[in-house]
Structure formats: structure tokens, C-alpha cells
Amino acid sequence: MPSSQCIHSGWRWRTVSYEFGWLTAVGLIRVFVCLIPQADIFQEYIIKEDAVGFQVNLTVLLDCLTIFGGSTVPGVCTALRMCYNGYGYPLTLFLEEGGVVTVCKINTQEPEEPIDFDFCSTNVTNKVILQSDSLKEAFSELDMTSEVLQITMSPSHPYFRLSTFGNSGNAHYDYPKDSDMMELFQCTKIQTNRYKMSLLKPSTKALALSCKVSVRTDSRGFLSLQYLVRNDDGQICFVEYYCCPDEEVEEE
Amino acid sequence: MQTLFRKNIVDKQNIMDCVSTGGNVKVLAKAIHSLSRVGEELYLEPVEEGLALRSVNSSRSAFACFLLSPLFFQRYQAPSDQSFRCKMPIKSVQAVFKSLASLDRSVEKCRIQLNSEKSRLTITLHCKHGLLKTHNLSYQDCESLQAVFDKGSCANVLQAQPRLMVDTVLHFPPSLEEVNLSVSSDRVWLRNHVEDDADSSRAMMTELCLSSEEFDHFAVGSQTSVTFCLKELRGLLVFAESSGLPVSMYFDEPGSPVILSVTDNVLEANFVLATLSEDSHPKNHVNSKRPDTEQPPDDFMSDDMDSFLIAMETSELPGLSHVPTSPPRPTNNYRKHSFSEEEEEEEEEALAEGPPNKKFCSLLFGSVLPTPSQLPNQTMQSQEVLASDSEDENQTETS
């Protein structure tokens, strides 16, 4: 199941809501991740109530999903069936690989109110869509001694810039708006925001799997990263990261 | 408009501006990578003859220098007064050239600039798809790092394709520190160096023998055997193999440094490695300053001194004649071997450890150089009682 690869084990709780097929994880209040496998990713998708919500421990869920090893072996498929009988019942996972069936029952909890970062498309100031390849290289080279990653988006030079401030100096990665890696460029005003590197680093897992990423900031400087992940069957999945800014930075 | 205006001003104030393109960017990156195998700091000095990138190891027993001529660059502008030199942690520079394998596919141009206003060295990589990577690295001012060596005076010269040397060195475990190279009139032996006090029944001995025919050039003046550190040799081979250039080895008798060299018409790389002195028994590599009991307590009283004085006189280094230098010095403990470097901070450190070279340097130059002021921090300060009583008129008590 491709979506299991997108779940970062650093998050503690996972809320499952089947209404829109959203799986969300919240960590540290400052970053909000959700994985949206479209309903058609499932071979069977049966839901008997309007909305189903519960909470399970993410580490436990990950351990169960990867009970057969977790790494993909060509030609070998793991089948998964998830069942939930409602309030008070555990989440039951049936996993089958090569004729071996494992049943996992994970205790569920009351879902916490999902933290609403209140990021809506009407507030978006700047938006770019980039092909992931170029960002992958940049993220793999980022100076990890920098506590923050600064993102500058502007209708004029430098257009889209990632900056770090580390022990040996600072570094800037500039993507021009007419780059062929830039699929969409909609920036209305210059904005520079800093985000804690430690909060954004986990997003590189999703970046690694994705083929495109949309980067948006709103008027408050909140960051939205949406990764488009395509699995082996060509089905699409989205992973979203929301991150609040570290501090307000004046325009350069 | 404003951006254009600012750009013009910046250009005028560029102290240094070097642009390399295409495959040379990878060569530059590989040179830096190679230097990182020697020392932890990169010394950068743009001179008229080209851009010098140097490194030295902590025990001062290995020195490496890459000189990239102006022809290596698409554009080369060095400071007119040749007064700029700096050093920075080599890891910082390596971080600029990550993804080494794909560098030639992704990077079109690399620009190294120094603006007089900032104390940052700017390295800009112009990559495919319009991506621009700019690194502003902080650096420290420093004095020039130099070693005196003269390839021309070496009795033995071998030259081989890098592949031969890589394949040979492959047989030695990565943990092996020292290797012994012996030559006769038609053969070369490479052996792992085993300490005499090691338990020979448990040590693994590896010996490779190469015929002179395997070498592109084989000129052995006299049969000899030298022992030096393998780590830095491997560092050079990393570069040589990727460049495909033949590796030349220049060496003399034990105690004289071995010089490994790779050159083409736009660059020259020299790795100068100290070798163990002939009758040394390396009982203690780290702290021993006492040479073998057969020899007088101070090495510099031995015959080797003459050859080094000669080496000093005959070798010439560009633009640095005003810097008094000391030749790479053999000591039985070659880990204490040192190259001249007049950085104050390092002198203080070194003096605290009492490196023999500083000591002998002052004794050697005490008589040769007229003014102590040429070595302001060195001459009167080294006072360890390594040397015998013979040269005590300039010595003061250890501070």
C-alpha cells in the first residue's frame, strides 16, 4: 500500500476520517500533515456512516502496516484490509502476503479536534508548482546546521528562493519563474518567511515519492506544501504539509 | 533597473573572480574532495599563476597543493596585489559541491568571487533549468601555506597510470596507515609497513611487486626504500583516477619527502608526504622526539641538513619569496614533521606541543637568516631541550 510510505513515524496520533478519505497526523502543533489517498485507491471502500473518526497511535499503525518487512520486493504484493466497527471497537487490519495472513487489532481513541491551520485558498498570497526533481536535489543539499529554512516568494527576482543560515555561511537556491521545472508561478507580492528546519525536514520523505509539489503561502506566512504522489498503478495520492512560520521577517 | 545598477558596483569591487565551466567544475570539486583527505582546512590563494588550493594535515606530515592556472578558468581575475589568502573548513566548501556524481550533468558554470565589502567568499553554481545556487562562505585570513620541495633534485622518478596505482593500493586494507615503497633497478615493491615491535606472527604482510615495464617512466637512481602514509596517497589517487592523468612519484632516500604529482597543461597537483627516516625504529609515533639512539639526539646535525639547505636554495615558489620557509623535515617521528606556516594561532598551538621542526627551524635559521625579525614568533621561543647543547646561544627558557 503506497500510502504507508508517506506516513512519517514522528507523528504521534493519527486521525482517520473516511468521509473524504483523509488520514491526518498532527505533530508538535506547528506542522500538520495529511495524506489523502483518493477513494479509488482502495479496491473496496465501504462506509456505513456519514463520517467516521477515531485516533490510533501512529507508530503502532506503521509497525502493523510494515509487519512483512516494509520494503517493496518486486513481484510481491501485500494486501490490506482495514475494518472498523464503530465507537469502542479496535481498528482491525488484515494483512496478507504470500499466503501468510496477519491480523492486527489496534486500540482506538476519541479523535482530538484536528488543529485547523485555517489555510484556505482564498487567503493564498503566493503559489508555485514545481517538478519535484529539482526540489529533491535542493533539499538533499540543504545546510542542516541552519535552524531555519527561509522561503522567499516574489513576483520579481529572486522569484522563488530557499535560504539557509548555517555555521559556514548562508546559501540560497533560486528558482526563476521561467524555469522549465516551474509548472505554475503565481506570486502577487514579495514574502519572506522562515520555518524551523526540524519541522520541514520530515517533508522530504513525501518529496522523495512525489512528482510535483505545490508551495503556497498565505497572508500570515503559513506554508502549505502539497505533494502529488503517483503509485505504481498510476493512482494519485496527495500529501499535505502545513507549517506555521518561525518569525515574521521583513521584506528584504 | 536597480538590480542592474547594483550589479555594476559589485563588479568593480570584486577582488577575486574565477569562473569555471563545464567539466572543469567537476575537476575543481574533485580537487577539493582530494584535499579533504589530507587536512581539515582549505587554504585558498589566488595568484597570478593561478588559483592555489592547499591543505596540510594536523601533524604537518602531509601537504597538498592544487594550482589551477588561469587557463583552467573561463574567466580568471586575481587580486592585483596578490595579497589575498584565506582558509576555511574544507567541509564547508565540500558542501557546495555535493552530488559530485551528477555535477557535470547539472552544473553549467561555477563562479568564485570575493567582494571587498564582505568577509564572505561567494561560490555560485549556475545549474540546469535555471537553478542558481549561491553559497556565501565565511573564511579566515591567514598567511601563506607553503612547503619547500624540489622534484628536480629527487634521485628516483616513477610515473604510472592512475589505474595501476589504484589497483595496487586496493590490496591494502583501508585501515593501513603506512606503506613502504622499495625500488631496485627494475622492480618496485609495495609492502604494508609493520612496526618492529608488532607481533609478527599475528601481523598480515602484504607485498606487491611491479615490474618497471608497468610504469610509463621508471628512473631509479639508487635502490632505496621509503615509508609514508597511505591515506594521503589515496587522496591523490581519487583525483588522478577521475582525471585519467598519470601519477608521478619523486623520492630520494628515507627521510626525504616523497612527492606525488599529477599535471596537465592547466593544472598541477602536488602531494608532499613525509617519510620515515632510515634507521628509525618507530616505537612511538606520537610523542617521540628522540631519534634512534645511534644517532645524535638532534637530527639536524646529521648529513641530511646539507641536502635540505640545498633544497631550500634551489626551489622557488611563486610570489612568496618574502616568506621565510623551512624545508619539510624528516624526523624519526615523522608525524611531528612540519611545514612552514606563519600563522600566529597555529604557532602558538604548535609551540605548546613543542614540534621539533619549529625548534630546528629556529636553530637552522638562527645561523642562516640574519634577522630574527623575519620569524617574529618563532626564533626566540622554541626552547625545548630536544637539541643538544651545541646551539644554545639563541635559546631561552621554555615559556
Side-chain angles (χ1 to χ4, degrees):
Chain A
M1 181 176 171
S3 47
S4 68
Q5 295 163 49
C6 299
I7 299 172
H8 178 64
S9 58
W11 312 123
R12 296 189 57 211
W13 298 111
R14 175 173 159 250
T15 303
V16 182
S17 163
Y18 279 116
E19 182 181 354
F20 303 103
W22 280 27
L23 312 173
T24 62
V26 181
L28 299 173
I29 306 176
R30 300 244 247 153
V31 186
F32 178 72
V33 183
C34 63
L35 163 66
I36 313 170
Q38 306 296 287
D40 58 3
I41 241 181
F42 298 100
Q43 284 172 336
E44 241 186 270
Y45 187 83
I46 299 164
I47 186 163
K48 293 184 178 161
E49 289 174 26
D50 284 343
V52 176
F54 55 84
Q55 204 156 272
V56 290
N57 182 294
L58 189 54
T59 312
V60 173
L61 178 66
L62 257 180
D63 285 346
C64 294
L65 288 174
T66 56
I67 209 154
F68 286 111
S71 57
T72 48
V73 178
V76 175
C77 244
T78 313
L80 167 73
R81 183 189 190 94
M82 287 197 285
C83 304
Y84 178 62
N85 272 349
Y87 186 82
Y89 285 88
L91 173 70
T92 308
L93 305 176
F94 297 89
L95 291 118
E96 185 267 332
E97 185 180 298
V100 178
V101 178
T102 306
V103 181
C104 307
K105 290 190 177 168
I106 308 175
N107 286 338
T108 57
Q109 303 202 337
E110 297 255 4
E112 283 173 11
E113 263 311 306
I115 287 169
D116 187 0
F117 272 32
D118 198 24
F119 193 103
C120 64
S121 13
T122 48
N123 271 342
V124 169
T125 328
N126 293 318
K127 173 177 177 176
V128 302
I129 297 182
L130 280 161
Q131 287 187 20
S132 299
D133 281 342
S134 59
L135 266 189
K136 282 175 199 173
E137 192 188 309
F139 268 77
S140 71
E141 294 180 8
L142 285 180
D143 182 359
M144 285 300 130
T145 64
S146 172
E147 282 192 8
V148 296
L149 177 66
Q150 179 173 288
I151 301 182
T152 304
M153 294 171 83
S154 162
S156 58
H157 182 77
Y159 304 111
F160 182 75
R161 170 179 280 187
L162 303 173
S163 306
T164 54
F165 307 90
N167 294 342
S168 49
N170 57 51
H172 306 287
Y173 282 66
D174 294 348
Y175 293 82
K177 73 171 182 181
D178 53 0
S179 162
D180 50 359
M181 295 298 244
M182 187 75 75
E183 290 206 354
L184 181 91
F185 187 87
Q186 285 172 357
C187 291
T188 59
K189 70 171 214 178
I190 183 164
Q191 259 193 324
T192 301
N193 291 293
R194 291 185 174 196
Y195 307 92
K196 276 216 165 11
M197 190 70 91
S198 53
L199 295 180
L200 287 187
K201 197 65 173 84
S203 69
T204 51
K205 279 198 178 180
L207 177 63
L209 294 169
S210 69
C211 48
K212 282 188 211 185
V213 54
S214 127
V215 182
R216 299 178 300 165
T217 51
D218 70 3
S219 50
R220 305 165 298 167
F222 274 65
L223 176 71
S224 152
L225 298 167
Q226 292 174 314
Y227 299 94
L228 192 153
V229 179
R230 200 165 267 149
N231 71 5
D232 298 334
D233 298 329
Q235 286 163 328
I236 286 175
C237 204
F238 289 98
V239 182
E240 291 183 1
Y241 273 77
Y242 294 94
C243 191
C244 60
D246 195 35
E247 57 183 306
E248 287 298 318
V249 176
E250 288 306 310
E251 292 176 21
E252 284 174 16
Chain B
M1 187 63 153
Q2 192 178 5
T3 314
L4 194 63
F5 183 60
R6 194 183 298 157
K7 180 180 186 296
N8 285 338
I9 288 186
V10 164
D11 278 348
K12 281 181 188 143
Q13 291 170 339
N14 262 343
I15 290 181
M16 170 182 147
D17 192 0
C18 308
V19 177
S20 52
T21 55
N24 278 354
V25 178
K26 190 164 182 176
V27 172
L28 176 64
K30 286 250 169 192
I32 290 167
H33 185 63
S34 191
L35 287 168
S36 75
R37 302 288 196 100
V38 174
E40 293 189 353
E41 288 182 313
L42 176 71
Y43 290 76
L44 192 127
E45 185 174 1
V47 291
E48 201 184 317
E49 294 78 8
L51 181 65
L53 303 169
R54 303 185 181 104
S55 190
V56 67
N57 72 352
S58 53
S59 53
R60 302 285 193 268
S61 57
F63 163 91
C65 173
F66 279 83
L67 183 68
L68 307 172
S69 90
L71 292 173
F72 178 87
F73 299 95
Q74 183 196 59
R75 173 185 155 85
Y76 182 74
Q77 177 198 327
S80 47
D81 54 357
Q82 304 207 69
S83 62
F84 176 70
R85 41 192 103 80
C86 69
K87 65 171 184 174
M88 64 204 86
I90 204 163
K91 281 191 165 33
S92 310
V93 191
Q94 280 182 292
V96 176
F97 297 101
K98 274 187 195 171
S99 324
L100 203 62
S102 59
L103 211 61
D104 48 357
R105 285 196 307 273
S106 57
V107 179
E108 291 162 2
K109 186 163 93 170
C110 167
R111 188 170 188 188
I112 306 175
Q113 284 169 287
L114 179 72
N115 185 301
S116 57
E117 291 196 353
K118 313 170 195 171
S119 60
R120 299 276 169 115
L121 189 74
T122 302
I123 303 182
T124 314
L125 298 178
H126 299 248
C127 305
K128 283 194 323 189
H129 309 296
L131 172 59
L132 193 75
K133 300 179 189 174
T134 308
H135 294 258
N136 297 308
L137 303 176
S138 44
Y139 61 83
Q140 283 177 282
D141 288 314
C142 63
E143 289 302 320
S144 187
L145 178 71
Q146 262 303 352
V148 171
F149 55 94
D150 180 20
K151 294 189 272 199
S153 70
C154 290
N156 306 307
V157 182
L158 306 175
Q159 186 183 80
Q161 291 301 311
R163 190 72 242 164
L164 175 74
M165 305 204 57
V166 168
D167 287 346
T168 307
V169 158
L170 210 59
H171 290 89
F172 297 102
S175 56
L176 179 66
E177 289 197 3
E178 288 129 25
V179 71
N180 174 276
L181 173 81
S182 305
V183 290
S184 72
S185 54
D186 63 349
R187 280 197 195 335
V188 173
W189 289 264
L190 221 58
R191 299 180 186 98
N192 59 323
H193 178 75
V194 177
E195 312 218 346
D196 289 337
D197 57 353
D199 186 355
S200 54
S201 64
R202 305 178 86 189
M204 179 169 78
M205 305 284 295
T206 305
E207 178 184 293
L208 282 109
C209 182
L210 298 167
S211 143
S212 59
E213 288 163 6
E214 304 217 46
F215 291 82
D216 294 353
H217 180 79
F218 189 94
V220 168
S222 55
Q223 294 202 15
T224 190
S225 175
V226 289
T227 302
F228 54 90
C229 222
L230 192 51
K231 179 181 162 215
E232 286 92 16
L233 166 62
R234 283 196 167 115
L236 177 71
L237 290 180
V238 158
F239 180 83
E241 202 189 5
S242 66
S243 66
L245 295 168
V247 179
S248 302
M249 297 182 70
Y250 302 81
F251 54 101
D252 254 334
E253 72 280 356
S256 295
V258 62
I259 302 148
L260 303 156
S261 190
V262 169
T263 55
D264 73 5
N265 49 4
V266 292
L267 69 81
E268 181 178 336
N270 288 303
F271 277 52
V272 184
L273 312 180
T275 62
L276 280 179
S277 291
E278 181 157 33
D279 37 22
S280 71
H281 292 282
K283 286 190 165 56
N284 178 349
H285 271 201
V286 178
N287 287 317
S288 164
K289 294 181 180 69
R290 286 257 155 223
D292 191 79
T293 48
E294 293 169 50
Q295 282 190 338
D298 37 314
D299 258 2
F300 23 79
M301 297 307 287
S302 72
D303 292 341
D304 286 341
M305 183 162 83
D306 290 335
S307 59
F308 281 89
L309 284 173
I310 294 167
M312 246 179 57
E313 287 159 21
T314 53
S315 62
E316 291 198 347
L317 297 158
L320 295 162
S321 50
H322 62 284
V323 176
T325 56
S326 62
R329 186 61 199 161
T331 61
N332 288 334
N333 169 14
Y334 70 54
R335 286 173 200 287
K336 282 300 177 183
H337 183 130
S338 176
F339 297 95
S340 81
E341 188 180 351
E342 305 214 11
E343 297 178 37
E344 297 190 357
E345 72 239 44
E346 274 165 333
E347 280 176 356
E348 280 156 22
E349 274 174 33
L351 284 168
E353 294 169 13
N357 85 300
K358 294 287 189 217
K359 193 166 178 333
F360 96 81
C361 177
S362 68
L363 295 164
L364 189 61
F365 289 98
S367 48
V368 173
L369 293 176
T371 52
S373 61
Q374 282 191 347
L375 299 165
N377 295 312
Q378 287 181 3
T379 325
M380 298 306 159
Q381 288 178 20
S382 52
Q383 307 86 14
E384 262 156 298
V385 192
L386 172 60
S388 68
D389 48 322
S390 54
E391 323 229 349
D392 55 359
E393 65 270 18
N394 289 332
Q395 287 181 6
T396 58
E397 285 306 306
T398 309
S399 58

